[in-house]
Amino acid sequence: MNADQAPFPLPLPDAVSAPYWQALSQGRLTFQRCARCGGAWLPPRPECPHCLSADWAWEDAGGRAKLISWVVYHVAYHPAFADRLPYNVAVVELAEGPRLISSIVGIDDAETLRIDQALTLAIGQEHGVAVARFRPD
Amino acid sequence: MRGRVVIAGIGHTAFGRLPGRSPTSLNVEAVRAALEDAGIGKDAVDGLFVKFPTSTFEFMYGQTVAEALGIQPRIGGVWDQGGAANIAMIGFAAMAIEHGQCEVAVVTFADNPKSGTRQAYEKAWGHDEVYGWFGVAPGYAMIARRHMGQYGTTSDQLGAIAVACRGHGAANPQAQLRQRLTLDQYRAARMIASPLRRDDCCLVSDGGAAVVLMSAARARALGVARPVPILGFGQGQTSWEVAQRPDLTTTAAAISAQTAFAMAGIAPSQVSVAQIYDCFTITVLMTLEDYGFCRKGEGGRFVEGGRIAFGGELPVNTSGGLLSETGMPGLQLVVEGVRQMRGTANLQVPNARFCAVSNQGGVMHTHATLILGQE
């Protein structure tokens, strides 16, 4: 199977995660905040992983973040990414606390990034779907 | 229960590409060898603990293996902790023996990802396929990069681990990869998921291994030739995926080792040979730190200068480990630990009284530790 034939692995929103993807399509990165304990998290889940409450609300992220770590793929584990090598995947921590998998844009060489580097949200398009990416400040 | 349960027998199949062999057949061969090594018949086995083949899940797989072995165990089943499962099951089997739930237990694992499917190793993590977040090696690479950034760990230090394990594997006639590696060759090899290169990653292997456990008293009564006492064991787990883990560079190995060393009543400084799960080089480096062989952040310097090679201060993976002997997840490290304590290893560490063995699974999600001693 080559990259032309492989369907791109797009997200499959469910009842819990649909608002997350909907907000991104409107230019907002959101996360969940617990009404009981104040805990904040991503990825979307139906209960607070801190106090198990199901009473929570979506909150907009301010867009400030830092780089926890990143890798640069030199091998494609899915054929849809074969023609993008090398590409990076990063763990990013929002200023509000939640962490997410993302990728870093606006750089020439991902090997020059630094851990804990300041980042800013840069929502991009992937096959017509809005996804949260980040660029170094 | 320190020392009251022993490993009475060890067995394994050939390692490498074994086309046409099912995991069940490989389990039977490994168990047959382990029972022969213990000098007992299969009818004595009343506990059967199986790690299911990683590459293909099969419902009620423990019963499948029991049927192939033609035994009716009182207790057993399949335990799913990824690569930590083998030592975890040895711990559960030892507790079952100690508490009268069974008398003779077999722990076994076999798989054929090299000639069969390896889909389970290449899946996406969580719901982040859209970013291309696939594969096992990149998960470990994410942790390695953070360790490098936090502590200044270098690629050459990871390379020193690969060089040591490959050297041990080259000396092992039964190893799948018998090719020494130099640091220059390590540096020149292609990147898989930066910062991890080809030789940072373990082999993919068909094969199986099994061990037989019983009480020390039972082993004496049966005249088992070379029982190796289990002095301690422990486990540790984190539920957090790599992206959510608050601290990427300290692992469940720490609590697992604390539990095991406390049970064994010894300190890491008394251990002079170790079998440390080396699915990736970074795993060895961080496990050595978390076990207390060196301080957190000093693993890079610890593995330099041949310290973990045969003849060094703490030889690690003396039969080659996952990087060189076989990539099958974990039980071969226990088998080699038993050989070291019996004094029958290919690269025998002189005067080693204790051997620490680690298993871990997922992307450093699960961990299990075994401390072996001598009779």
Side-chain angles (χ1 to χ4, degrees):
Chain A
M1 197 157 57
N2 64 38
D4 296 336
Q5 295 164 319
F8 194 89
L10 290 173
L12 298 169
D14 58 21
V16 176
S17 65
Y20 171 86
W21 295 106
Q22 180 69 24
L24 277 172
S25 74
Q26 297 162 353
R28 295 178 295 119
L29 172 62
T30 54
F31 60 89
Q32 289 162 290
R33 169 124 23 224
C34 180
R36 185 167 129 189
C37 76
W41 68 89
L42 280 175
R45 59 180 93 228
E47 291 85 22
C48 170
H50 308 289
C51 77
L52 312 186
S53 169
D55 185 9
W56 48 262
W58 290 102
E59 193 171 309
D60 285 359
R64 307 284 305 150
K66 68 176 179 180
L67 179 62
I68 299 301
S69 193
W70 77 102
V71 301
V72 182
Y73 280 68
H74 293 267
V75 169
Y77 290 77
H78 187 289
F81 291 86
D83 60 3
R84 301 185 180 201
L85 297 175
Y87 70 92
N88 74 75
V89 175
V91 174
V92 169
E93 182 176 291
L94 303 180
E96 294 87 352
R99 288 186 178 187
L100 68 156
I101 288 289
S102 185
S103 53
I104 308 303
V105 294
I107 50 171
D108 293 329
D109 179 5
E111 297 298 333
T112 62
L113 292 167
R114 303 181 316 277
I115 64 164
D116 299 327
Q117 189 170 348
L119 304 170
T120 300
L121 176 66
I123 293 175
Q125 294 290 316
E126 182 64 79
H127 285 75
V129 175
V131 297
R133 303 192 194 281
F134 292 82
R135 67 174 68 248
D137 285 5
Chain B
M1 58 176 291
R2 177 189 195 275
R4 288 212 293 269
V5 175
V6 301
I7 296 182
I10 53 175
H12 64 82
T13 68
F15 301 130
R17 184 183 294 277
L18 306 170
R21 295 294 304 280
S22 69
T24 303
S25 166
L26 294 167
N27 269 305
V28 172
E29 181 186 339
V31 173
R32 185 174 68 215
L35 291 172
E36 280 170 11
D37 182 59
I40 64 169
K42 71 171 190 175
D43 293 338
V45 177
D46 59 355
L48 180 65
F49 297 81
V50 183
K51 170 172 161 32
F52 74 84
T54 314
S55 55
T56 43
F57 177 75
E58 193 178 320
F59 196 56
M60 299 286 282
Y61 187 66
Q63 271 53 49
T64 300
V65 174
E67 183 181 359
L69 292 169
I71 62 171
Q72 313 296 328
R74 294 158 67 189
I75 190 169
V78 164
W79 203 260
D80 176 16
Q81 290 181 346
N86 289 308
I87 286 179
M89 290 191 299
I90 287 172
F92 289 124
M95 290 188 280
I97 291 167
E98 173 79 1
H99 295 289
Q101 299 296 305
C102 67
E103 294 189 4
V104 176
V106 164
V107 174
T108 185
F109 170 71
D111 199 2
N112 62 353
K114 191 162 183 69
S115 61
T117 177
R118 65 184 77 165
Q119 281 179 345
Y121 296 110
E122 296 177 349
K123 66 179 177 116
W125 294 103
H127 304 285
D128 298 306
E129 298 98 322
V130 70
Y131 295 105
W133 181 227
F134 290 84
V136 179
Y140 284 86
M142 193 71 86
I143 293 170
R145 179 89 70 181
R146 181 77 195 174
H147 201 282
M148 289 172 156
Q150 262 181 285
Y151 300 114
T153 304
T154 66
S155 187
D156 277 4
Q157 290 168 338
L158 296 181
I161 296 168
V163 168
C165 293
R166 289 281 290 277
H168 301 160
N172 174 3
Q174 294 178 306
Q176 178 176 334
L177 181 57
R178 299 197 61 198
Q179 211 170 43
R180 284 185 182 281
L181 179 76
T182 66
L183 200 53
D184 281 340
Q185 288 168 331
Y186 169 84
R187 292 179 186 134
R190 69 188 175 119
M191 284 287 185
I192 300 294
S194 168
L196 296 186
R197 301 170 187 277
R198 181 195 65 197
D199 299 307
D200 289 305
C201 307
C202 71
L203 306 174
V204 175
S205 312
D206 302 337
V211 296
V212 179
L213 276 70
M214 61 181 68
S215 70
R218 178 77 179 255
R220 277 192 299 275
L222 289 174
V224 169
R226 294 173 295 187
V228 167
I230 292 172
L231 301 184
F233 50 85
Q235 296 185 40
Q237 304 186 4
T238 177
S239 55
W240 297 114
E241 274 292 347
V242 171
Q244 307 302 323
R245 206 167 291 171
D247 178 359
L248 277 184
T249 52
T250 297
T251 77
I255 186 68
S256 177
Q258 279 173 33
T259 307
F261 278 111
M263 179 176 168
I266 65 165
S269 59
Q270 293 172 266
V271 172
S272 45
V273 59
Q275 314 300 329
I276 305 293
Y277 198 91
D278 53 340
C279 50
F280 299 92
T281 51
I282 183 65
T283 315
V284 176
L285 191 149
M286 286 172 55
T287 302
L288 290 169
E289 293 175 345
D290 288 335
Y291 273 29
F293 289 112
C294 60
R295 282 188 294 201
K296 179 53 65 182
E298 294 182 353
R301 284 184 292 283
F302 185 84
V303 300
E304 285 179 324
R307 186 182 273 119
I308 64 167
F310 187 68
E313 186 183 314
L314 181 71
V316 163
N317 300 350
T318 41
S319 58
L322 280 75
L323 292 169
S324 192
E325 183 180 31
T326 166
M328 57 171 281
L331 206 42
Q332 78 279 26
L333 301 177
V334 176
V335 168
E336 173 66 3
V338 168
R339 288 193 210 105
Q340 287 289 349
M341 292 297 93
R342 286 177 173 177
T344 60
N346 183 52
L347 295 178
Q348 179 64 45
V349 175
N351 307 315
R353 290 174 59 213
F354 307 106
C355 183
V357 191
S358 83
N359 276 184
Q360 67 102 67
V363 183
M364 303 194 192
H365 285 84
T366 54
H367 198 98
T369 307
L370 185 66
I371 312 285
L372 300 172
Q374 290 175 319
E375 249 205 312

